[in-house]
Structure formats: C-alpha cells, structure tokens
Amino acid sequence: MKPYLIRLKPNQDIKQELIQFSIKYNIKVGSIVSAVGSVSKMSVRIADGKTVVQDEENREVVALSGTLVRHQIHAHIAAINTKMEVFGGHLMDGCLVHTTMEITLLDMSDTINASREYDENTGYDELFV
C-alpha cells in the first residue's frame, strides 16, 4: 500500500483531477482517506440515480469519501455554507475547488484486485473484488 497527499488548486475539477492522478500514478485500486478544503461550485447526483443538482455557493467540504478502481471513481461529497446547511451527494464532474483541496489517497493496488463491471440489477458499473 502506498499513501499519497494531493493539493488541488482553485478552479480544478475534483473528480477529473482524481481520475488523472490515478492514471498518472497507475493506481488500479485506491481509496479516498480524507479531504479538507473548499468548493465554489458543486455538481452532485442524488439518490434517485438520475437527478443532478448544482450549487454555486462557496462551501467548506466536510466529507469526501470513495474508491478509485481502474481509473473510475465512485465518491460522495458533502459541504456546508455559511449558515451551516449541508449540500451533497454523488460526486459528479463540475465540483470546483474554491481556495484549496487537500486529499489523502491510499493506493491498494498491490494488495487488492478489483474492477468495475456492469450490473444489470443496478444499471451501473459496480465494484467487483
């Protein structure tokens, strides 16, 4: 296992940067261990699996967790505004860093073999270990 500490800068897309990082460092199986920072724009999918909701308010990220498998990411994000109201869901393209984002990743490629494969029951590419 190998840990990584990443710092994203303003206007970088969190999801796309994590995917590009996993490609650059050949992370076949990884986990988002922790994340702190802020966003200026969020784009998340809600639990119905279809609806994407966007928000363009500066927010502090209070949670970001997920898995990277074969350069695909499944992650959830939650952030609060100045009134302490939470906004979050399934991380989509379009979640942009406001000031900074510090993410700790754990590369587990040497200990776990996993893939994402289409599951007809859910209609999504799901984790297979």
Side-chain angles (χ1 to χ4, degrees):
M1 286 194 241
K2 183 174 182 180
Y4 290 95
L5 184 58
I6 307 164
R7 177 179 175 235
L8 302 182
K9 297 177 182 175
N11 298 312
Q12 288 185 297
D13 185 296
I14 298 167
K15 182 176 179 181
Q16 285 306 308
E17 293 298 327
L18 287 170
I19 291 169
Q20 291 307 310
F21 189 89
S22 76
I23 291 168
K24 180 178 180 179
Y25 291 96
N26 198 28
I27 299 172
K28 294 179 179 79
V29 180
S31 176
I32 300 169
V33 177
S34 69
V36 293
S38 61
V39 291
S40 59
K41 182 178 179 185
M42 289 180 68
S43 183
V44 298
R45 191 182 69 222
I46 61 174
D48 68 3
K50 299 173 188 168
T51 306
V52 175
V53 181
Q54 295 183 339
D55 177 72
E56 294 192 25
E57 185 174 2
N58 292 339
R59 293 177 178 268
E60 284 290 323
V61 173
V62 294
L64 175 63
S65 63
T67 54
L68 287 156
V69 177
R70 310 267 178 210
H71 315 307
Q72 294 178 300
I73 186 169
H74 180 197
H76 293 178
I77 188 169
I80 59 170
N81 63 12
T82 58
K83 296 176 187 173
M84 304 296 284
E85 298 166 330
V86 179
F87 181 84
H90 180 93
L91 180 71
M92 301 294 287
D93 290 339
C95 286
L96 304 181
V97 175
H98 176 52
T99 57
T100 192
M101 181 66 59
E102 301 167 6
I103 302 172
T104 305
L105 287 179
L106 183 60
D107 180 354
M108 302 178 291
S109 303
D110 61 345
T111 57
I112 297 174
N113 185 17
S115 63
R116 290 206 175 275
E117 300 173 23
Y118 182 76
D119 184 328
E120 62 183 41
N121 292 320
T122 66
Y124 293 101
D125 288 342
E126 299 289 2
L127 179 67
F128 283 85
V129 180

